Amino acid sequence: MFLEKKLQQVLSQSLKELFDSEVDEESIKLQPTRKEFEGTHTFVTFPYLKFSGKSPEQTGQLIGEYLKDRTGLIENYNVVKGFLNLQISQKTWLELFQFIYESEDYGFSPPNGEEVMVEYSSPNTNKPLHLGHLRNNFLGYSVSRILEANGCKVHKVQIINDRGIHISKSMVAWQKFGKGETPDSTGIKGDKLVGKYYVKFDKQHKQEVATLTDKGVSLEKAQREAPIMLDAQEMLRKWEEKDQQVYQLWKTMNSWVYHGFNKTYVQMGVVFDKLYYESDTYLLGKEEVLKGLKKETFFKKEDGSVWVDLTDKGLDRKILLRSDGTSVYMTQDIGTAILRFKDFPKIKNLIYTVGNEQEYHFKVLFLILQKLGFSWAQECYHLSYGMVDLPSGKMKSREGTVVDADDLMKEMIDTAEEHTKELGKIETLTEGQAKDLYVILGLGALKFFLLKVDAKKRMLFDPQASIDFHGDTGPFVQYTFARISALLRRAEEMEVNSNTLTFNVILHPTEVEVLSLLNEFPNKVKLAAEEYNPSIIAQYVYDLAKSYNRFYAEVPVLSQSDHDMLNFKITFSRVVAQTISKAMGLLGIKVPKQM
RNA sequence: GGUUCCGUAGCUCAAUUGGAUAGAGCAACUGCCUUCUAAGCAGUAGGUUCCGCGUUCGAGUCGCGGCGGAAUCACCA
């Protein structure tokens, strides 16, 4: 950013003086120079030929010459076809470093007064969290952090789908087969216990359906009218009537689940500022739909069901209330959205982190909110992410191919422990510190793996082979941080005076490369926020670490005899470590001082 | 069938939003620990960017037509 501004300025100036053309500084685009050419920044001359009236090469030559002679910014240049490659002068690089070093919070913006809400995690209370939730949560959490880094105040919220037929199913099965089991009595985590009964329901249901179809009942009818299914529906009715016993059971079982979820969230390292429950919002949604019906925004069918007609927007008709008056998914979401803007009237943006399978749903939801006359409907955004596939294909709870969140995290942590012990570099850590380290590394690997891929894209996760601790991974970046930390510890022992920085030094090419990346950091943070895209940060921090490692391998730091050089390289390393730590923080990943 | 998204090295992913000879990691192979952490560094090999046509100085990227895959189109959530 620092460099771009200066370059844009002098380029605009040169265009004016050389060709007498007014070009807005902001509109001048620079791109990184391909590494087979000399230089770091490239200016493409093609768009400006109309001003110069000369060939691409000549235009490049003229501008390059001007910059070299008239400004101290570049020390050399070369022209290949229409590409003007600029080599920034040492002096400029050092100015840049000084600027970064002295910046209060380099790359991050101070509060700008904007308020946004990010929803991530929308679990059902009938089964445990799985790999899909991990991508969802890491993504939403990271996007929140990135928005915060850009100065926004972020409300991190969760919507808990705590009502409906699915939880009734678990409740019925627990009543029938549970024999009073509780998380305490069994030692099973609450969400797992409830999930167990959800599976039990499914099993029982299948059996009953089979019995019925054997008697000649059609499959569809059998599925609908199997005794246990009727029980579940009855239970849902009783719940809506607030039947004491059912309500109590519902509260109890949900509390088990929340307790279990919380453990999982703590391990994941994600937090929420506020929780929304669908049981609190579905009635509000219903009210709004009835209001809309009065105003004839919606219409009623003969059987009493309420619909919205979106055919004028190229979409379909969509049901909002069933013929028996009960609400559907959409009804709840209408209520939730309204409640949120009531709770936080100042929010500029409501971001839903939800899988791309629900794109249609959100398109419809936002249109309905618009029809209801809420101006803020424009501010709702569906942050849609792709599904996580397994080598065996899609995850399906019924077929037992779901990767459980707790299991996966534990596996990652165990692998990290194994790896660390093999390398044997942490004898000085206490047992507690070592345990913490395994969590940092295991989760770092997992988060980085899930976040480095563009969120919009469907991705493949191979539990056996996908998670590596080498190469383009979380631990690689963490390692770079730990390495620099070790270096800095040593430097401290040497008592190097780093208070006075005199930049009377000669830069190594690898240092220029790193500086060029450090210069990019603010851009990346901004871009990641604009696109709600953490993968930009993940790719960036990998490049930075990679590039620093090259420097580390080629340039000795502590054995520098010249004081200024020594001092510079230590400070330089510290700035890189700080930037790595900040970038990883945006991904929700911690970095260890030793590993 | 309609709509939307996707197709890049053996595998997993990039490619600065239309820029130069399409880049990383993994897997394979070759070097580098008596000097700051080798979870590292350097190197070799690997490509008709699914196919075809078009748009222009320039296409993995934009348009059209195919082929292949996914999601969605519920009185499920």
Side-chain angles (χ1 to χ4, degrees), chain A residues 309-582:
Chain A
D309 188 350
L310 296 169
T311 45
D312 56 328
K313 307 272 185 193
L315 301 175
D316 220 333
R317 294 187 173 85
K318 190 91 186 169
I319 189 158
L320 298 176
L321 285 176
R322 296 195 188 94
S323 47
D324 64 1
T326 57
S327 44
V328 294
Y329 184 40
M330 190 63 77
T331 329
Q332 304 170 0
D333 271 4
I334 293 170
T336 309
I338 291 169
L339 186 61
R340 284 173 175 170
F341 276 92
K342 250 185 211 159
D343 287 348
F344 303 97
K346 285 198 294 189
I347 53 175
K348 277 271 169 297
N349 216 336
L350 171 52
I351 298 162
Y352 291 87
T353 314
V354 181
N356 63 11
E357 64 206 351
Q358 301 207 27
E359 270 167 12
Y360 184 75
H361 171 80
F362 281 102
K363 214 186 258 178
V364 173
L365 174 66
F366 300 158
L367 279 174
I368 291 175
L369 291 169
Q370 222 168 34
K371 269 186 186 275
L372 283 170
F374 297 106
S375 55
W376 45 256
Q378 316 263 358
E379 264 110 61
C380 296
Y381 177 76
H382 176 203
L383 173 53
S384 165
Y385 65 89
M387 297 288 100
V388 184
D389 276 326
L390 298 173
S392 54
K394 204 186 163 181
M395 284 198 293
K396 290 207 165 118
S397 33
R398 300 220 171 131
E399 288 159 32
T401 53
V402 167
V403 176
D404 179 81
D406 294 323
D407 293 350
L408 179 58
M409 285 192 285
K410 182 170 186 309
E411 202 181 308
M412 294 303 303
I413 294 164
D414 289 349
T415 311
E417 179 173 355
E418 220 174 282
H419 239 281
T420 307
K421 283 185 170 157
E422 244 171 60
L423 292 169
K425 293 192 214 171
I426 56 156
E427 306 83 0
T428 57
L429 294 187
T430 65
E431 202 175 314
Q433 288 172 324
K435 281 233 155 74
D436 289 346
L437 176 64
Y438 306 147
V439 174
I440 289 174
L441 294 177
L443 266 102
L446 185 57
K447 289 181 188 182
F448 197 89
F449 185 84
L450 291 173
L451 289 175
K452 76 174 179 181
V453 180
D454 186 350
K456 291 190 286 290
K457 290 197 175 162
R458 199 185 180 84
M459 69 180 294
L460 189 94
F461 184 89
D462 184 343
Q464 304 297 320
S466 276
I467 290 299
D468 205 323
F469 288 78
H470 303 272
D472 188 0
T473 67
F476 170 90
V477 180
Q478 290 171 320
Y479 176 74
T480 310
F481 181 86
R483 218 181 196 190
I484 298 174
S485 300
L487 190 82
L488 295 176
R489 279 195 297 274
R490 289 213 162 205
E492 216 161 295
E493 286 163 20
M494 290 167 60
E495 292 178 13
V496 180
N497 173 18
S498 58
N499 290 333
T500 50
L501 269 187
T502 42
F503 292 132
N504 188 16
V505 296
I506 298 153
L507 293 169
H508 189 267
T510 56
E511 284 170 315
V512 170
E513 205 183 310
V514 172
L515 282 170
S516 169
L517 279 166
L518 287 175
N519 175 56
E520 283 291 309
F521 185 53
N523 277 335
K524 299 289 179 183
V525 174
K526 212 162 129 199
L527 191 64
E530 276 163 14
E531 299 185 0
Y532 306 118
N533 187 358
S535 75
I536 289 172
I537 301 294
Q539 276 153 32
Y540 169 77
V541 75
Y542 170 71
D543 284 342
L544 180 63
K546 179 88 185 159
S547 169
Y548 180 85
N549 279 333
R550 249 193 297 268
F551 158 79
Y552 186 92
E554 283 190 38
V555 183
V557 174
L558 299 177
S559 56
Q560 293 286 333
S561 52
D562 181 85
H563 177 268
D564 282 356
M565 291 285 267
L566 174 65
N567 202 358
F568 173 79
K569 283 173 176 26
I570 290 170
T571 312
F572 169 78
S573 297
R574 184 181 298 123
V575 168
V576 171
Q578 281 163 355
T579 309
I580 286 177
S581 169
K582 276 175 153 178

